[in-house]
Short mmCIF file of all heavy atoms in Angstrom, two decimals:
data_model
loop_
_atom_site.label_atom_id
_atom_site.label_comp_id
_atom_site.label_asym_id
_atom_site.label_seq_id
_atom_site.Cartn_x
_atom_site.Cartn_y
_atom_site.Cartn_z
N VAL A 250 5.78 5.45 17.42
CA VAL A 250 5.14 5.74 16.35
C VAL A 250 3.84 6.40 16.71
O VAL A 250 2.86 5.76 17.09
CB VAL A 250 4.77 4.49 15.39
CG1 VAL A 250 4.23 4.89 14.11
CG2 VAL A 250 6.04 3.68 15.26
N ASP A 251 3.73 7.73 16.68
CA ASP A 251 2.66 8.50 17.08
C ASP A 251 2.44 9.65 16.00
O ASP A 251 3.13 9.83 14.98
CB ASP A 251 2.83 8.96 18.40
CG ASP A 251 4.16 9.83 18.65
OD1 ASP A 251 4.76 10.25 17.61
OD2 ASP A 251 4.57 9.93 19.75
N PHE A 252 1.43 10.53 16.34
CA PHE A 252 1.14 11.63 15.39
C PHE A 252 2.29 12.60 15.21
O PHE A 252 2.57 13.05 14.19
CB PHE A 252 -0.10 12.37 15.82
CG PHE A 252 -0.48 13.54 14.87
CD1 PHE A 252 -1.13 13.13 13.72
CD2 PHE A 252 -0.25 14.83 15.17
CE1 PHE A 252 -1.55 14.13 12.75
CE2 PHE A 252 -0.64 15.84 14.33
CZ PHE A 252 -1.25 15.52 13.17
N ALA A 254 5.46 11.67 15.26
CA ALA A 254 6.31 11.21 14.36
C ALA A 254 5.91 11.30 12.80
O ALA A 254 6.78 11.54 12.00
CB ALA A 254 6.57 9.63 14.61
N VAL A 255 4.62 11.16 12.51
CA VAL A 255 4.06 11.30 11.28
C VAL A 255 4.29 12.84 10.92
O VAL A 255 4.77 13.09 9.69
CB VAL A 255 2.54 10.95 11.26
CG1 VAL A 255 2.00 11.21 9.79
CG2 VAL A 255 2.43 9.46 11.56
N ALA A 256 3.98 13.74 11.71
CA ALA A 256 4.18 15.17 11.35
C ALA A 256 5.70 15.44 11.02
O ALA A 256 5.92 16.26 10.18
CB ALA A 256 3.68 16.06 12.52
N GLU A 257 6.53 14.84 11.77
CA GLU A 257 8.00 15.07 11.55
C GLU A 257 8.45 14.60 10.21
O GLU A 257 9.26 15.04 9.40
CB GLU A 257 8.86 14.53 12.70
CG GLU A 257 8.73 15.33 14.04
CD GLU A 257 9.43 14.70 15.09
OE1 GLU A 257 9.84 13.49 14.95
OE2 GLU A 257 9.60 15.35 16.18
N ALA A 258 7.80 13.36 9.92
CA ALA A 258 8.19 12.71 8.70
C ALA A 258 7.64 13.60 7.53
O ALA A 258 8.27 13.71 6.37
CB ALA A 258 7.42 11.33 8.54
N ALA A 259 6.46 14.19 7.60
CA ALA A 259 5.97 15.10 6.60
C ALA A 259 6.84 16.21 6.42
O ALA A 259 7.06 16.59 5.24
CB ALA A 259 4.54 15.58 6.97
N LEU A 262 9.80 15.07 4.31
CA LEU A 262 9.40 14.60 2.89
C LEU A 262 9.04 15.85 2.05
O LEU A 262 8.86 15.85 0.90
CB LEU A 262 8.23 13.64 2.88
CG LEU A 262 8.56 12.29 3.34
CD1 LEU A 262 7.34 11.38 3.81
CD2 LEU A 262 9.28 11.59 2.34
N LYS A 288 -6.87 9.28 -3.07
CA LYS A 288 -5.55 9.76 -2.86
C LYS A 288 -4.54 9.06 -3.83
O LYS A 288 -4.32 7.89 -3.45
CB LYS A 288 -5.15 9.75 -1.35
CG LYS A 288 -3.80 10.16 -0.96
CD LYS A 288 -3.54 11.63 -1.23
CE LYS A 288 -2.29 12.10 -0.61
NZ LYS A 288 -1.87 13.39 -1.11
N GLU A 290 -1.69 7.77 -4.77
CA GLU A 290 -0.30 7.52 -4.58
C GLU A 290 0.27 6.62 -5.68
O GLU A 290 1.59 6.37 -5.71
CB GLU A 290 -0.09 6.67 -3.28
CG GLU A 290 -0.32 7.60 -1.99
CD GLU A 290 0.74 8.55 -1.93
OE1 GLU A 290 2.00 8.24 -1.70
OE2 GLU A 290 0.53 9.88 -2.06
N PHE A 298 3.24 4.65 -2.73
CA PHE A 298 3.47 5.31 -1.46
C PHE A 298 4.60 4.92 -0.75
O PHE A 298 5.22 5.56 0.12
CB PHE A 298 2.25 4.96 -0.42
CG PHE A 298 2.25 3.48 0.13
CD1 PHE A 298 2.79 3.31 1.37
CD2 PHE A 298 1.73 2.48 -0.65
CE1 PHE A 298 2.80 1.94 1.86
CE2 PHE A 298 1.88 1.19 -0.21
CZ PHE A 298 2.26 0.83 1.09
N LYS A 299 5.31 3.77 -1.13
CA LYS A 299 6.43 3.22 -0.32
C LYS A 299 7.60 4.25 -0.39
O LYS A 299 8.49 4.14 0.50
CB LYS A 299 6.91 1.93 -1.09
CG LYS A 299 5.99 0.69 -0.90
CD LYS A 299 6.02 0.14 0.55
CE LYS A 299 5.24 -1.04 0.65
NZ LYS A 299 5.35 -1.55 2.05
N PHE A 300 7.66 5.10 -1.32
CA PHE A 300 8.70 6.24 -1.27
C PHE A 300 8.69 6.95 -0.07
O PHE A 300 9.82 7.22 0.54
CB PHE A 300 8.61 7.23 -2.43
CG PHE A 300 9.58 8.18 -2.54
CD1 PHE A 300 10.94 7.81 -3.07
CD2 PHE A 300 9.47 9.45 -2.00
CE1 PHE A 300 11.90 8.92 -3.04
CE2 PHE A 300 10.34 10.39 -2.02
CZ PHE A 300 11.56 10.17 -2.53
N ARG A 301 7.57 7.21 0.52
CA ARG A 301 7.46 7.94 1.81
C ARG A 301 8.26 7.39 2.88
O ARG A 301 9.00 8.14 3.60
CB ARG A 301 6.01 8.23 2.07
CG ARG A 301 5.21 9.03 1.08
CD ARG A 301 3.70 9.10 1.48
NE ARG A 301 2.92 9.79 0.50
CZ ARG A 301 2.57 11.07 0.55
NH1 ARG A 301 3.15 11.88 1.49
NH2 ARG A 301 1.77 11.59 -0.43
N GLY A 302 7.91 6.07 3.15
CA GLY A 302 8.49 5.48 4.24
C GLY A 302 10.01 5.23 4.01
O GLY A 302 10.86 5.23 4.99
N ALA A 303 10.44 4.82 2.82
CA ALA A 303 11.77 4.55 2.47
C ALA A 303 12.64 5.73 2.71
O ALA A 303 13.75 5.79 3.41
CB ALA A 303 12.06 4.00 1.21
N ASN A 305 11.92 8.62 4.59
CA ASN A 305 11.84 9.03 5.93
C ASN A 305 12.90 8.09 6.67
O ASN A 305 13.62 8.69 7.58
CB ASN A 305 10.51 8.82 6.52
CG ASN A 305 10.39 9.51 7.92
OD1 ASN A 305 10.83 10.60 8.03
ND2 ASN A 305 9.92 8.72 8.82
N HIS A 396 8.83 -0.95 10.79
CA HIS A 396 9.87 -0.09 11.20
C HIS A 396 9.34 1.19 11.46
O HIS A 396 8.39 1.74 10.71
CB HIS A 396 10.99 0.02 10.05
CG HIS A 396 12.16 0.87 10.31
ND1 HIS A 396 12.13 2.20 10.49
CD2 HIS A 396 13.43 0.44 10.43
CE1 HIS A 396 13.36 2.66 10.81
NE2 HIS A 396 14.16 1.54 10.76
N PRO A 397 9.57 1.79 12.87
CA PRO A 397 8.94 3.10 13.14
C PRO A 397 9.03 4.18 12.02
O PRO A 397 7.93 4.92 11.89
CB PRO A 397 9.72 3.43 14.47
CG PRO A 397 10.23 2.09 15.00
CD PRO A 397 10.54 1.33 13.76
N ASP A 398 10.16 4.33 11.52
CA ASP A 398 10.35 5.43 10.52
C ASP A 398 9.55 5.19 9.32
O ASP A 398 9.12 6.09 8.58
CB ASP A 398 11.74 5.77 10.36
CG ASP A 398 12.50 6.25 11.59
OD1 ASP A 398 11.82 6.93 12.34
OD2 ASP A 398 13.71 5.96 11.72
N VAL A 399 9.58 3.99 8.80
CA VAL A 399 8.80 3.57 7.59
C VAL A 399 7.32 3.80 7.84
O VAL A 399 6.66 4.37 7.08
CB VAL A 399 9.08 2.11 7.24
CG1 VAL A 399 8.16 1.62 6.19
CG2 VAL A 399 10.43 1.92 6.94
N ILE A 400 6.84 3.38 9.04
CA ILE A 400 5.41 3.52 9.26
C ILE A 400 4.95 4.95 9.34
O ILE A 400 4.06 5.45 8.81
CB ILE A 400 5.01 2.89 10.71
CG1 ILE A 400 5.25 1.36 10.58
CG2 ILE A 400 3.61 3.12 11.05
CD1 ILE A 400 5.26 0.63 11.90
N ALA A 401 5.82 5.86 10.03
CA ALA A 401 5.58 7.22 10.10
C ALA A 401 5.60 7.79 8.73
O ALA A 401 4.66 8.69 8.31
CB ALA A 401 6.55 7.86 10.99
N GLY A 402 6.42 7.43 7.93
CA GLY A 402 6.61 8.01 6.51
C GLY A 402 5.25 7.60 5.70
O GLY A 402 4.71 8.54 5.01
N GLN A 403 4.93 6.39 5.87
CA GLN A 403 3.74 5.96 5.10
C GLN A 403 2.43 6.70 5.52
O GLN A 403 1.55 6.94 4.80
CB GLN A 403 3.44 4.49 5.32
CG GLN A 403 4.57 3.40 5.28
CD GLN A 403 5.37 3.45 3.97
OE1 GLN A 403 5.58 4.39 3.35
NE2 GLN A 403 5.91 2.32 3.64
N GLY A 404 2.35 7.07 6.91
CA GLY A 404 1.21 7.76 7.36
C GLY A 404 1.02 9.18 6.84
O GLY A 404 -0.06 9.73 6.93
N THR A 405 2.17 9.71 6.19
CA THR A 405 1.96 10.99 5.68
C THR A 405 0.94 11.08 4.54
O THR A 405 0.51 12.15 4.25
CB THR A 405 3.37 11.66 5.26
OG1 THR A 405 3.86 10.79 4.19
CG2 THR A 405 4.33 11.76 6.41
N ALA A 406 0.66 10.01 3.88
CA ALA A 406 -0.34 9.92 2.84
C ALA A 406 -1.74 10.41 3.28
O ALA A 406 -2.37 11.13 2.59
CB ALA A 406 -0.34 8.50 2.09
N ALA A 407 -2.09 9.86 4.40
CA ALA A 407 -3.30 10.20 5.05
C ALA A 407 -3.26 11.50 5.67
O ALA A 407 -4.34 12.25 5.73
CB ALA A 407 -3.76 9.22 6.09
N LEU A 408 -2.08 11.94 6.20
CA LEU A 408 -2.08 13.33 6.75
C LEU A 408 -2.31 14.34 5.50
O LEU A 408 -3.16 15.29 5.77
CB LEU A 408 -0.67 13.53 7.32
CG LEU A 408 -0.43 14.84 8.01
CD1 LEU A 408 -1.32 14.95 9.23
CD2 LEU A 408 1.10 14.96 8.42
N GLU A 409 -1.79 14.10 4.46
CA GLU A 409 -2.02 15.04 3.31
C GLU A 409 -3.49 14.97 2.88
O GLU A 409 -4.08 16.00 2.67
CB GLU A 409 -1.20 14.52 2.07
CG GLU A 409 0.30 14.92 2.08
CD GLU A 409 0.96 14.65 0.87
OE1 GLU A 409 0.43 14.26 -0.11
OE2 GLU A 409 2.31 14.84 0.93
N LEU A 410 -4.08 13.67 2.85
CA LEU A 410 -5.42 13.57 2.47
C LEU A 410 -6.44 14.34 3.30
O LEU A 410 -7.33 15.03 2.84
CB LEU A 410 -5.89 12.21 2.53
CG LEU A 410 -7.38 11.79 2.18
CD1 LEU A 410 -7.68 12.22 0.82
CD2 LEU A 410 -7.51 10.33 2.40
N THR A 411 -6.15 14.29 4.64
CA THR A 411 -6.96 15.11 5.65
C THR A 411 -6.81 16.55 5.35
O THR A 411 -7.67 17.33 5.87
CB THR A 411 -6.63 14.66 7.07
OG1 THR A 411 -5.34 14.95 7.35
CG2 THR A 411 -6.97 13.16 7.27
N ARG A 412 -5.76 16.95 4.90
CA ARG A 412 -5.58 18.41 4.61
C ARG A 412 -6.07 18.91 3.26
O ARG A 412 -6.53 20.02 3.09
CB ARG A 412 -3.99 18.89 4.60
CG ARG A 412 -3.50 18.76 6.04
CD ARG A 412 -1.96 18.85 6.13
NE ARG A 412 -1.53 18.86 7.52
CZ ARG A 412 -0.27 18.76 7.83
NH1 ARG A 412 0.69 18.53 6.92
NH2 ARG A 412 0.06 18.80 9.12
N ILE A 420 -11.81 6.58 6.14
CA ILE A 420 -10.62 6.35 5.23
C ILE A 420 -10.39 4.85 5.10
O ILE A 420 -10.39 4.16 5.96
CB ILE A 420 -9.41 6.99 5.60
CG1 ILE A 420 -9.64 8.61 5.69
CG2 ILE A 420 -8.18 6.58 4.91
CD1 ILE A 420 -8.35 9.35 6.15
N ALA A 422 -7.73 2.04 3.57
CA ALA A 422 -6.39 1.75 3.01
C ALA A 422 -6.19 0.31 2.90
O ALA A 422 -6.57 -0.55 3.71
CB ALA A 422 -5.50 2.36 4.11
N GLY A 427 0.76 -3.89 7.09
CA GLY A 427 0.13 -3.06 8.05
C GLY A 427 0.87 -1.58 8.27
O GLY A 427 0.43 -0.90 9.05
N GLY A 428 2.00 -1.40 7.51
CA GLY A 428 2.62 -0.14 7.76
C GLY A 428 1.88 0.98 7.17
O GLY A 428 1.71 2.03 7.94
N LEU A 429 1.32 0.94 5.93
CA LEU A 429 0.42 1.95 5.40
C LEU A 429 -0.80 2.11 6.33
O LEU A 429 -1.09 3.27 6.72
CB LEU A 429 0.09 1.75 4.04
CG LEU A 429 -0.90 2.69 3.24
CD1 LEU A 429 -0.25 3.99 3.23
CD2 LEU A 429 -1.32 2.24 1.93
N LEU A 430 -1.44 1.18 6.54
CA LEU A 430 -2.59 1.11 7.37
C LEU A 430 -2.57 1.83 8.73
O LEU A 430 -3.29 2.65 9.04
CB LEU A 430 -3.30 -0.16 7.53
CG LEU A 430 -4.58 -0.39 8.25
CD1 LEU A 430 -5.76 0.54 7.81
CD2 LEU A 430 -5.04 -1.82 8.38
N SER A 431 -1.52 1.27 9.43
CA SER A 431 -1.38 1.72 10.83
C SER A 431 -0.89 3.16 10.79
O SER A 431 -1.41 4.01 11.64
CB SER A 431 -0.42 0.89 11.67
OG SER A 431 0.89 0.86 10.95
N GLY A 432 0.05 3.55 9.85
CA GLY A 432 0.48 4.90 9.78
C GLY A 432 -0.59 5.88 9.43
O GLY A 432 -0.79 7.09 9.94
N CYS A 433 -1.49 5.46 8.53
CA CYS A 433 -2.54 6.25 8.11
C CYS A 433 -3.60 6.44 9.16
O CYS A 433 -4.22 7.50 9.34
CB CYS A 433 -3.38 5.70 6.80
SG CYS A 433 -2.41 5.92 5.27
N ALA A 434 -3.83 5.43 9.96
CA ALA A 434 -4.81 5.38 11.15
C ALA A 434 -4.34 6.40 12.15
O ALA A 434 -5.07 7.24 12.76
CB ALA A 434 -5.07 4.15 11.71
N ILE A 435 -2.98 6.35 12.49
CA ILE A 435 -2.42 7.34 13.43
C ILE A 435 -2.51 8.73 12.95
O ILE A 435 -2.95 9.65 13.62
CB ILE A 435 -1.01 6.95 13.60
CG1 ILE A 435 -0.88 5.64 14.42
CG2 ILE A 435 -0.27 8.14 14.41
CD1 ILE A 435 0.53 5.02 14.51
N ALA A 436 -2.20 8.96 11.64
CA ALA A 436 -2.26 10.36 11.06
C ALA A 436 -3.66 10.79 10.99
O ALA A 436 -3.97 11.98 11.35
CB ALA A 436 -1.70 10.34 9.59
N ALA A 437 -4.60 10.15 10.54
CA ALA A 437 -6.07 10.51 10.34
C ALA A 437 -6.59 10.85 11.65
O ALA A 437 -7.26 11.88 11.87
CB ALA A 437 -6.81 9.47 9.64
N LYS A 438 -6.42 10.06 12.69
CA LYS A 438 -7.10 10.21 14.04
C LYS A 438 -6.46 11.34 14.84
O LYS A 438 -6.98 11.88 15.66
CB LYS A 438 -7.13 8.83 14.75
CG LYS A 438 -8.16 7.87 14.17
CD LYS A 438 -8.18 6.56 14.84
CE LYS A 438 -9.17 5.68 14.31
NZ LYS A 438 -10.56 6.19 14.43
N GLY A 439 -5.13 11.56 14.45
CA GLY A 439 -4.43 12.65 15.12
C GLY A 439 -4.91 14.01 14.66
O GLY A 439 -4.97 14.91 15.46
N ARG A 440 -5.46 14.06 13.44
CA ARG A 440 -6.15 15.27 12.94
C ARG A 440 -7.54 15.26 13.19
O ARG A 440 -8.15 16.40 13.50
CB ARG A 440 -5.82 15.53 11.45
CG ARG A 440 -4.40 15.92 11.20
CD ARG A 440 -4.15 16.60 9.95
NE ARG A 440 -4.65 18.01 10.07
CZ ARG A 440 -5.44 18.67 9.38
NH1 ARG A 440 -6.01 18.03 8.23
NH2 ARG A 440 -5.81 19.95 9.38
N ILE A 547 -7.09 5.32 -0.12
CA ILE A 547 -5.71 5.46 -0.39
C ILE A 547 -5.49 4.54 -1.50
O ILE A 547 -5.62 3.29 -1.46
CB ILE A 547 -4.80 5.11 0.78
CG1 ILE A 547 -5.15 5.83 2.08
CG2 ILE A 547 -3.33 5.25 0.39
CD1 ILE A 547 -4.82 7.40 1.89
#
Side-chain angles (χ1 to χ4, degrees):
V250 189
D251 52 19
F252 183 75
V255 177
E257 289 174 350
L262 288 163
K288 178 64 170 166
E290 287 296 292
F298 75 98
K299 291 287 190 178
F300 178 82
R301 295 175 182 270
N305 189 50
H396 186 291
D398 295 330
V399 171
I400 296 166
Q403 318 300 38
T405 62
L408 186 64
E409 280 183 12
L410 175 62
T411 61
R412 290 169 175 165
I420 291 178
L429 175 65
L430 176 59
S431 59
C433 285
I435 291 167
K438 291 178 179 295
R440 290 205 75 231
I547 306 294

